Amino acid sequence: MVLKDCDSCLVYGTDNRPLAKARVEIMDEDRILLFFQFSKLRSIRIKTFVDFHDRQYGVVRCHCDLIIQNNRLPTKLAEPWMAQCTILKVQDTFQRQKDLRVDVGMKAEFTSLSTGYFSGTIQNISAGGIFLLTSHVLKKNERFQFSRRLEDEMVRLEARVVRIGPLVKGEYSYGCQFVGITLEAEAAVRKFVYKKQKERQNRLGKRA
């Protein structure tokens, strides 16, 4: 069984760009059903990538065969389309541990919903949030937004301050948690963290 505990996924189009989110039902070893609230689909059979969001494994990216058709099953939600999904190949797995974080030291610009624009440095990042250094004073539970390019993807994120830390080199430090993160953004962050972690392991391996 490729998946252990999965009830959602992100389906990509044939252009390799995110197409639609879907609810996942694992029927048995060889039968997976996807249900779409997104209405702008059509009946088609395609081979494409799907990011399955598994609670045990993280994001499991698979190359899949999808048969998309009108949903005639009595589902509780308004899901006009469904797909029979067959996993052809597991392409990759991003960040098996949700709290795995990597040091990045990235400069960024932020906009607080209450105190306005400020700049700072993202010391480390995980799929759950960031550790932020800034000269700007933030309060606990204060929310802010920022956009950042993670490798080849521009990601827009919102976070809130959950922990106020000590001064670090004259700057305030804050532990921040992502708020309302989309599946697409979470997948991008997981992929970025996974890649940086692999790069770090490779560097350490070369030094050994």
Side-chain angles (χ1 to χ4, degrees):
M1 175 67 72
V2 173
L3 304 173
K4 289 291 187 181
D5 186 7
C6 177
D7 59 13
S8 66
C9 70
L10 175 64
V11 177
Y12 289 79
T14 52
D15 58 358
N16 290 326
R17 299 179 63 181
L19 174 65
K21 301 174 187 176
R23 182 172 61 85
V24 177
E25 286 191 11
I26 302 174
M27 311 306 290
D28 52 45
E29 182 76 26
D30 301 313
R31 188 165 177 249
I32 299 172
L33 298 181
L34 311 182
F35 295 90
F36 301 87
Q37 293 186 33
F38 184 63
S39 60
K40 296 181 180 180
L41 296 176
R42 60 191 177 96
S43 297
I44 191 174
R45 182 170 187 168
I46 60 172
K47 288 182 173 64
T48 190
F49 288 104
V50 178
D51 283 351
F52 291 98
H53 298 84
D54 191 285
R55 294 182 182 86
Q56 292 191 35
Y57 291 151
V59 177
V60 183
R61 175 164 293 178
C62 300
H63 192 226
C64 298
D65 180 49
L66 300 183
I67 302 175
I68 301 175
Q69 58 196 3
N70 291 113
N71 179 20
R72 295 186 174 85
L73 297 178
T75 53
K76 295 180 180 179
L77 302 173
E79 298 167 318
W81 294 93
M82 64 176 290
Q84 297 180 43
C85 173
T86 302
I87 295 176
L88 304 175
K89 180 182 178 182
V90 176
Q91 193 75 13
D92 215 336
T93 301
F94 306 130
Q95 194 180 339
R96 296 192 177 195
Q97 295 178 322
K98 190 176 179 64
D99 59 353
L100 177 66
R101 61 183 63 245
V102 290
D103 294 329
V104 288
M106 297 188 304
K107 300 289 186 181
E109 298 177 350
F110 308 86
T111 303
S112 166
L113 303 187
S114 55
T115 58
Y117 164 86
F118 65 97
S119 60
T121 303
I122 300 171
Q123 283 294 92
N124 59 55
I125 186 170
S126 73
I130 61 173
F131 187 72
L132 173 65
L133 296 182
T134 178
S135 58
H136 189 78
V137 178
L138 298 171
K139 296 180 180 179
K140 191 171 182 179
N141 293 320
E142 187 169 346
R143 294 191 177 194
F144 57 89
Q145 298 172 339
F146 66 101
S147 296
R148 181 71 201 190
R149 183 172 294 281
L150 301 178
E151 298 298 322
D152 57 347
E153 298 183 61
M154 180 61 74
V155 181
R156 184 170 178 81
L157 297 161
E158 181 174 336
R160 69 181 180 92
V161 177
V162 295
R163 186 179 72 259
I164 299 175
L167 286 173
V168 178
K169 296 181 179 179
E171 292 190 300
Y172 302 106
S173 64
Y174 302 98
C176 308
Q177 181 182 57
F178 291 135
V179 177
I181 188 169
T182 65
L183 289 177
E184 295 94 329
E186 184 179 348
V189 174
R190 284 180 180 274
K191 181 179 178 181
F192 176 77
V193 171
Y194 176 83
K195 183 175 181 179
K196 292 299 181 184
Q197 183 69 9
K198 292 291 288 184
E199 289 175 355
R200 179 177 179 275
Q201 290 173 350
N202 289 338
R203 287 196 301 270
L204 293 175
K206 289 179 180 179
R207 291 174 188 171

